Structures are given as C-alpha cells and as structure tokens.
Amino acid sequence: MKAFKFGWALAPFALFGCGGPVPADMFLTMSVSTQDVAVTTSINGKEDEFLSGDSGSMSGSRPINKLVREGENENEAIFVLTPVANTGDDAAPTFLATLEIAIKGEIVDTLNPGERTLFSRELSAEEAAAISAGESVTITEHFTVDGAALKAMKNGE
C-alpha cells in the first residue's frame, strides 16, 4: 500500500519532467490558414482540432511543444485538404502552414514567416487545381527538433 501511495505522490513530478526537447519560455508555433478549403492537421500521428477546420476559411496558431520529439526526421506534420462547397467567389483555394521558433514575449505573424522558420508550405498550382476539381490533397512535412540548438538560440549563442 505504501508503494501505491508513493507512486501517486511522484506522479505530478513525472509530468513536469517530460517537457520534451523545447526549452522553457521557447515555443514551436504552428500556424495554419486556409481559404476555400477544409483542413485536417495531424502532428506526429495525433489530430489537432485547433489547427483544423471544415468551414473552408480558418486561421489558427498555437505552440506544439508537447507534441514534438527530438531528433532528425522524428517529427511529421500532415495536412489533409478537402474541397468545400463552392463559395461562388471563383478564387483558387489557399493554404499556408508555418512552423516557427518563438521566444516568450515575441509576436508571431501567421501570414509572414519569420527568420526562425522550420518550414512554411503553401499550395502549389497543381494542388490548388486538384482541390478546385474536387480532389483531396495530402501534404506531409518532416521537421527536426534539436534541443541543444534551441537552448543555444535561447541563450543568444
């Protein structure tokens, strides 16, 4: 019984020890914006409802620190884009996904990626044409998180 109580006493500390490769006060911020297309965003196999939308027009941005792993090609963002009902504006569908490194207190501009961008992805002309023709498009982005490089960046090195 004492071992059981001891385990419960340590549980909160275990949560704080699993911070991942991103230092405190630093954020890997994913931004997703769409127009005339629905998007389902998944990060490392987990669907992210906040960065997804089926209305055809959405914009969302949030830190994904807890969803990433350290190491080369260890992280993957998948965006499944599907056409929405014709909005009548004859504009080509648009999509922009950006993953940026931000330090506490900085403002992230979701439409203009900054200098610390891990990736920024827009629709190609072929992908936009496929969506306009009623097809779904899947975009996959791989990215690396280097904990040591992030710590050096945070320390101004």
Side-chain angles (χ1 to χ4, degrees):
M1 187 68 162
K2 286 184 180 182
F4 183 70
K5 288 181 182 179
F6 182 71
W8 277 108
L10 290 179
F13 296 108
L15 291 174
F16 290 110
C18 299
V22 183
D25 295 335
M26 198 168 217
F27 307 97
L28 296 180
T29 303
M30 174 81 71
S31 301
V32 178
S33 299
T34 67
Q35 184 65 47
D36 294 335
V37 64
V39 62
T40 301
T41 302
S42 298
I43 301 162
N44 289 329
K46 183 177 179 182
E47 186 175 328
D48 191 310
E49 291 182 17
F50 189 79
L51 297 173
S52 301
D54 60 4
S55 69
S57 178
M58 64 84 59
S59 184
S61 183
R62 77 176 197 88
I64 61 167
N65 294 16
K66 293 182 179 182
L67 301 175
V68 298
R69 300 180 291 262
E70 185 168 16
E72 189 169 339
N73 291 327
E74 289 292 325
N75 296 283
E76 178 179 73
I78 298 175
F79 308 95
V80 179
L81 306 167
T82 54
V84 294
N86 189 345
T87 58
D89 62 6
D90 293 332
T94 60
F95 165 80
L96 174 63
T98 304
L99 181 58
E100 292 183 85
I101 300 167
I103 298 174
K104 185 177 182 176
E106 293 180 337
I107 297 172
V108 174
D109 185 344
T110 60
L111 296 178
N112 292 313
E115 61 187 41
R116 295 188 304 252
T117 300
L118 294 175
F119 72 80
S120 185
R121 179 64 155 78
E122 296 182 68
L123 286 177
S124 68
E126 295 81 19
E127 291 165 336
I131 292 169
S132 293
E135 299 175 30
S136 292
V137 171
T138 299
I139 295 173
T140 303
E141 288 290 327
H142 295 275
F143 58 96
T144 302
V145 176
D146 182 345
L150 291 174
K151 285 179 187 174
M153 185 183 302
K154 180 181 174 188
N155 295 330
E157 299 173 14

